[in-house]
Amino acid sequence: MICRNQSWNIARLIESVLQETAGFPNTQITLLDSLSTDSTVEIARRYPINILRFLPGARLTPNIGRYIGHSVSQGDYLLFLDGDMQLSRGWVEQALAVFAAQPQVAVITGATVDVPKNSDTVVEDESLLPTDPAQIPLPFIGGAGMYRRAVLDKIGTFNPWLKSEGEPELCIRIRQKGYQVIMLDRPMVYHFSDPTDKISTMIGRWRRRLYMGFGQNLRNKLGTEYFWPYFWERGYGCAPLLVLALGAATFATSLITRQAGWFLAWLGLVILVLIADALRKKSLYRMVYSLVQRTLVTAGTVRGFFITPQRPEDFPMQYEVIQQASPTADKDS
């Protein structure tokens, strides 16, 4: 579990994890705190779990948290969660059953149910949860998911140098090696958060450099078997670059020929596309939101591409142990 300033939810998350893993005695539970300034760590210390904390000045990204989580764990399966979540009842048991029965499955996730941040703890009616949920193949997952350690040890774990895009990048590598990524068609976690469909939220992500992972991955994968699979699935930040390049070319042509028609034709086509997008979405705001998102992803892709790749094994492990739970033998979860 990775968290930062989530004292408002950390007890709910930890208690849901303890409850869902109570039937598995060889379980290792670790919380990695990203330099919280509230009472997150103090609350977490009430529970029998391992607590790690980043050192002051350390880099802070979800990818680093997953990387450290993999390095300090011993289990055959690794479940990653974020500090603003609550684990759904029965999901762990169902996921472990799938792993045991299907060795080709390497990653399992479930539905993330968004809940307003100020909501009470979600109380589930277990009779409404499917006992044998459908398995849906996915290209990649988001933050919450369970991984088979043997596969991560074989192809490599999360890249801690990435600013973002850790889960998609890892899942593409996993699938390229013949393993499967699936979703159990039932709730996995309840995600307590403010609405995310705000332009201000995207601007905040930009300021935290969370769009640069697209470009980093393209740069890192140049000349490897993973470049084109990643490009076709996650390289949509490159499409606007082609549109801008065409605009620059038509502008230059108009200057050289002294005929504005070339550039005006390009500009008119762009405007028509934006109008069509607004009509399709039946919302001017959604069109503007999409335009801003594509612009930020494109800019992040360009910036990230110029970051020099570094080896994951050279990443500095900057954390300290705050609390060590009593060890258990032969951990397998």
Side-chain angles (χ1 to χ4, degrees), residues 114 193-202 285-286 289 293:
D114 288 321
S193 65
D194 294 323
T196 57
D197 57 344
K198 294 182 178 180
I199 293 178
S200 60
T201 300
M202 287 193 296
Y285 178 82
R286 297 305 304 172
Y289 180 91
Q293 184 180 50

Side-chain angles (χ1 to χ4, degrees), residues 70-89:
H70 173 265
S71 70
V72 301
S73 65
Q74 304 171 32
D76 293 333
Y77 308 101
L78 292 90
L79 172 61
F80 294 102
L81 300 169
D82 293 335
D84 54 3
M85 295 176 174
Q86 173 188 332
L87 185 59
S88 175
R89 294 182 64 88

Side-chain angles (χ1 to χ4, degrees), residues 55-76:
L55 295 175
R59 300 168 183 259
L60 302 176
T61 69
N63 289 322
I64 298 173
R66 317 279 193 231
Y67 180 77
I68 293 176
H70 173 265
S71 70
V72 301
S73 65
Q74 304 171 32
D76 293 333

